[in-house]
Amino acid sequence: MHNIKQQDLIKTSSFINGSWLKSQHSSIAFDVVNPANLLCLTKVHDAQATDAENAIEAASRSFPTWTKLTAYQRADHLVAWAKLISQHEDDLARLLTLEQGKPLSEALAEIRYGISYLHWFSEEGKRIYGDTIPALSPQQRILVTKQAVGVATAITPWNFPNAMLLRKAAAALAAGCTFVVKPASETPLSALALAYLAEQADLPQGSFNVVVGTDAKAIGEVLTKHPKVNKFSFTGSTETGKKLIAQCAEGVKKVSMELGGNAPFIVFDSADIDQAITGLISNKFRNAGQTCVCANRIYVQQNILDTFTKKLTQSLTTLKTGNGFDQTTNISPLISSKAVDKVRHLVNNAQQQGATIEFQGDLHFDNKTGNKSDCFYPATLLSGVSQQMEIAKTEIFGPVISLISFNNEDELIEQANATDAGLAAYFYSQNINQIWRVSEALQYGMVGINESALSNAAAPFGGVKGSGNGREGSHYGLDDYLEIKYLCFGGID
Ligand code: NAP
């Protein structure tokens, strides 16, 4: 990891109660691997369930002090942290590309996106307003206040190892909660670097804790069931999310879930086709297709299908697959060879069922940088996909575009909604009546209309149906970390 200038950012053990876990478990460590070349970047101490318990105890001890700070004092802490992250953005981006693979420009964009949540929630924390309500009796007054729920725990995924953590931590800390997070084992270094900068920013001891460990099941049990945990937040697969909801149910914890998607991307015949193709390419190939809001099923109206396919194929020829540190790379490696196997299986299965590969890019392996990894998959365009195929029912999480044709709007809406997922949907149309009809008919938490980049700190991010509940970002994002308290004053003359 020689290309990290500030080597102190590279931390290899959990950050609990303001200290770095010492090597009482030094014999237990796991490898962090660069998916672009499969080389081990470093070993990280493998925290155990007892370490998660210690982190929760620390967060619980820290809570009364942290929550009694004014929103302005908490904001000062968050802004100090944001400033340090910003000062180290280049190193943090490099660390992210090393462990996750994404192109360096995308990694830098993720760091800045993560910082935006610290700034956003440091301000929103100052606007946690209550209410007064006209009472039914002249002797009573009714007030409503909002208070931090207490200790908040979280589990985050590998596809946005910096921003998913900050999106949760910023809201939790601004609301007055203390926080314990377990990042994904593939990408612990970004989370630990954030902990190092939290320490440098003097966040109070125990207010922010990071537990890195590969026994996700055991650590997850603690984070969801410990009696001192009041709220749990998860971003990851729907399958894991369902298990964690069940675990939280035992203690009736407050829960929010950002789970998998299966986004329809719809192009109507009134659309600006070039605009739709530009939007599709930037959405689909970001992070090599490994985002939960990635276009997954591309519905194109039959009468523009040929034109759309020709233009899209032409655009795909310019995309390059390669190492994220190569500035010409558009499509970086997937997180693991297992992820590539899944994508390959979906494409093969679709072909067997009658779909056609219209285009497939080259892998551009670079012998000089040793990109011999089996984590790469090239940009692929499949035509003739149908709603019944496995690839249309599954979140692909790879750089594959599946084209499905449709004839009319009613049929299209039925198909677009025929999934358990409900995170993001996109459509392109220049017909204002159609824009209103389709926006209202799509059963999704977020809808992009002639737009394929949805997420920012000011907007509520989240899904419906199997894609989860709760919202992150925006002023709604604080609600998940707050309790409403009703105060009834009586006996007033
Ligand atoms: P995953 O297996 O659910 O892993 C995500 C996190 O959950 C990791 O930290 C993992 O830890 C942990 N985990 C796994 N099994 C667990 C268990 N039994 N108990 C407690 N924690 C457990 O998901 P993935 O396959 O890595 O990630 C891709 C999925 O996440 C996709 O479906 C994607 O759509 C979804 N996602 C959703 C959003 C969103 O905002 N809605 C954002 C990103 C990703 P280990 O790494 O240690 O196993």
Side-chain angles (χ1 to χ4, degrees), residues 77-108:
H77 281 293
L78 296 186
V79 170
W81 192 18
K83 205 169 157 194
L84 283 178
I85 298 170
S86 194
Q87 279 167 10
H88 293 89
E89 63 175 18
D90 289 330
D91 271 347
L92 292 170
R94 279 193 283 270
L95 200 56
L96 210 169
T97 294
L98 280 169
E99 66 174 348
Q100 203 274 343
K102 67 177 60 178
L104 190 57
S105 58
E106 287 187 26
L108 186 59

Side-chain angles (χ1 to χ4, degrees), residues 325-367:
F325 283 103
D326 179 343
Q327 282 184 1
T328 63
T329 290
N330 306 101
I331 302 170
S332 49
L334 301 195
I335 192 67
S336 63
S337 58
K338 199 170 144 221
V340 172
D341 290 344
K342 175 189 158 191
V343 176
R344 193 173 288 125
H345 162 79
L346 289 172
V347 171
N348 289 344
N349 180 274
Q351 276 184 290
Q352 280 159 16
Q353 311 239 323
T356 306
I357 294 189
E358 292 285 338
F359 172 84
Q360 191 153 51
D362 296 326
L363 284 177
H364 297 284
F365 282 130
D366 179 351
N367 288 330

Side-chain angles (χ1 to χ4, degrees), residues 224-227 229-230 245-255:
T224 50
K225 291 184 177 173
H226 194 290
V229 169
N230 305 91
I245 292 171
Q247 288 172 204
C248 287
E250 284 184 29
V252 199
K253 313 285 189 201
K254 200 172 166 82
V255 173

Side-chain angles (χ1 to χ4, degrees), residues 286-355:
R286 191 160 63 105
N287 201 8
Q290 303 169 107
T291 84
C292 50
V293 291
C294 259
N296 207 56
R297 295 166 288 153
I298 320 307
Y299 295 98
V300 182
Q301 201 148 9
Q302 182 66 48
N303 53 341
I304 57 163
L305 184 63
D306 282 350
T307 315
F308 184 87
T309 308
K310 274 191 201 117
K311 285 189 168 203
L312 178 59
T313 307
Q314 186 55 37
S315 300
L316 294 180
T317 58
T318 62
L319 299 179
K320 193 182 154 207
T321 305
N323 190 311
F325 283 103
D326 179 343
Q327 282 184 1
T328 63
T329 290
N330 306 101
I331 302 170
S332 49
L334 301 195
I335 192 67
S336 63
S337 58
K338 199 170 144 221
V340 172
D341 290 344
K342 175 189 158 191
V343 176
R344 193 173 288 125
H345 162 79
L346 289 172
V347 171
N348 289 344
N349 180 274
Q351 276 184 290
Q352 280 159 16
Q353 311 239 323

Side-chain angles (χ1 to χ4, degrees), residues 155-160 164 167 182-187 213-221 232 234-241 243-244 247 257-261 290-293 342 395 397 423 461-462 467 472:
I155 295 180
T156 51
W158 46 263
N159 57 351
F160 290 88
M164 291 304 101
R167 192 158 79 179
K182 188 207 90 68
S185 316
E186 288 94 340
T187 55
T214 54
D215 194 348
K217 190 168 179 301
I219 295 172
E221 293 250 339
F232 175 72
F234 176 70
T235 297
S237 63
T238 305
E239 192 190 349
T240 303
K243 285 184 205 154
L244 296 170
Q247 288 172 204
M257 292 277 148
E258 301 286 352
L259 307 177
Q290 303 169 107
T291 84
C292 50
V293 291
K342 175 189 158 191
E395 190 174 39
F397 248 51
L423 192 60
F461 188 102
S467 290
E472 292 189 335

Side-chain angles (χ1 to χ4, degrees), residues 416-427:
N417 286 337
T419 165
D420 291 338
L423 192 60
Y426 310 87
F427 69 93

